[in-house]
Amino acid sequence: MRRMLGYIRKADQEFDMIADGDRIAVGISGGKDSLVLLNSLAGYRRFAEHKFTLVGITLDMRFGGKDTDFTPIAEMCRELDVEYKVIPTDIGEVIFDIRKESNPCALCAKMRRGALHDAAVEMGCNKIALGHHNDDVIETFIMNLHKEGRIGCFSPVTYLSRKNITMIRPMVLAPEQKIIACANRNNFPVVKSKCPADKTTQRQVTKEWLSEMERKDKGFKIRMFGALRRSGVDGWGFKNAVGKSEDEE
């Protein structure tokens, strides 16, 4: 966990993510990224410059109309002294059974964001922490370049004016392989995704392409990240850069 705490601390210092008195909702899907984020933030509380509290929130997508068992996550939150709430939704049914979306990811992400924002506000949180890591940043940067012809990415810090809540992504400096290693080393109770579209998305295609480019040309991914940071767009610039202000719903 020590290395992950270093990534969290550096991101906090570079992007001014956490302030005194913050009540941060951690979006917990049950996957490796969100579990490492939860544990890292729980550990970071002990020595962070600013004092903050955590709340864990899980949206149960209920794929196939069935509840998911998040008992291991609830137990982890008890051990970490983190308040935890599971919120049942009908998102899985709407996306795959009712609408039968052929390209479900965009609508699913929008519905999940809205539900998570509402839950965080209801639980008195002023910030939401998401588990996006450095590989997610690079993949999104490349996807925007290829698919939309623009230079950009989600921001490390984003203020949502309509909800009066701020999104933070504390693991954006952490490579995915370090997160996988941390989850495996600590035997975190990963809840496998039941999404029918898992591993079949455009993001997966981009991930595989980046892996191939990295294999052929070592350092390719970090150079892409460096290009994003030097561009300064969407809050990715150096020296106390902050995120853009926008509504993502």
Side-chain angles (χ1 to χ4, degrees):
M1 291 299 298
R2 184 177 301 175
R3 180 166 292 181
M4 287 307 308
L5 290 173
Y7 288 125
I8 296 282
R9 182 175 187 173
K10 185 175 181 181
D12 182 20
Q13 292 174 340
E14 288 201 24
F15 301 112
D16 296 323
M17 291 187 172
I18 299 175
D20 276 326
D22 279 347
R23 182 170 167 84
I24 303 173
V26 183
I28 307 174
S29 66
K32 57 177 174 52
D33 301 338
S34 62
L35 296 186
V36 171
L37 174 63
L38 170 66
N39 281 267
S40 297
L41 286 175
Y44 188 50
R45 286 180 305 188
R46 298 195 299 270
F47 64 88
E49 178 182 356
H50 304 292
K51 301 303 179 184
F52 61 93
T53 57
L54 297 173
V55 176
I57 299 177
T58 293
L59 301 177
D60 187 354
M61 306 288 283
R62 302 188 70 251
F63 294 110
K66 297 180 180 179
D67 295 339
T68 303
D69 181 12
F70 291 103
T71 302
I73 312 301
E75 179 58 32
M76 173 179 282
C77 286
R78 280 193 292 271
E79 293 175 358
L80 295 172
D81 191 25
V82 172
E83 182 181 351
Y84 181 58
K85 185 173 183 179
V86 177
I87 300 176
T89 75
D90 59 359
I91 295 176
E93 182 181 9
V94 169
I95 297 290
F96 293 101
D97 300 331
I98 297 176
R99 295 179 60 117
K100 301 184 186 298
E101 292 283 330
S102 57
N103 297 297
C105 296
L107 179 59
C108 182
K110 182 176 182 179
M111 293 179 71
R112 284 188 289 111
R113 281 199 303 267
L116 181 59
H117 297 168
D118 289 343
V121 170
E122 183 179 331
M123 297 184 74
C125 299
N126 67 309
K127 289 183 178 175
I128 299 174
L130 300 178
H132 296 104
H133 47 65
N134 193 246
D135 289 68
D136 289 326
V137 177
I138 299 166
E139 289 160 15
T140 302
F141 175 57
I142 294 297
M143 289 168 66
N144 286 341
L145 191 63
H146 281 188
K147 296 296 182 181
E148 300 180 23
R150 68 180 180 90
I151 295 175
C153 186
F154 54 74
S155 300
V157 177
T158 306
Y159 176 62
L160 307 176
S161 59
R162 284 193 293 174
K163 296 292 184 180
N164 191 28
I165 200 163
T166 299
M167 308 281 287
I168 62 174
R169 296 172 167 92
M171 297 201 303
V172 289
L173 301 182
E176 184 177 24
Q177 284 302 317
K178 300 298 183 184
I179 293 172
I180 293 173
C182 179
N184 291 340
R185 189 180 306 115
N186 291 277
N187 295 314
F188 288 155
V190 172
V191 177
K192 184 173 174 55
S193 173
K194 297 179 181 178
C195 175
D198 191 33
K199 305 299 185 185
T200 64
T201 63
Q202 182 59 45
R203 181 171 294 276
Q204 182 64 27
V205 172
T206 304
K207 182 187 293 290
E208 292 170 1
W209 179 81
L210 280 167
S211 294
E212 178 64 14
M213 292 299 297
E214 182 69 21
R215 186 187 67 79
K216 294 178 178 178
D217 183 8
K218 188 173 178 58
F220 180 82
K221 290 197 291 186
I222 196 64
R223 290 195 296 275
M224 293 301 100
F225 184 58
L228 173 62
R229 295 215 64 185
R230 286 188 294 274
S231 77
V233 301
D234 297 333
W236 284 104
F238 295 96
K239 295 183 179 179
N240 301 317
V242 296
K244 61 186 176 181
S245 176
E246 66 176 27
D247 286 296
E248 293 186 335
E249 298 178 345

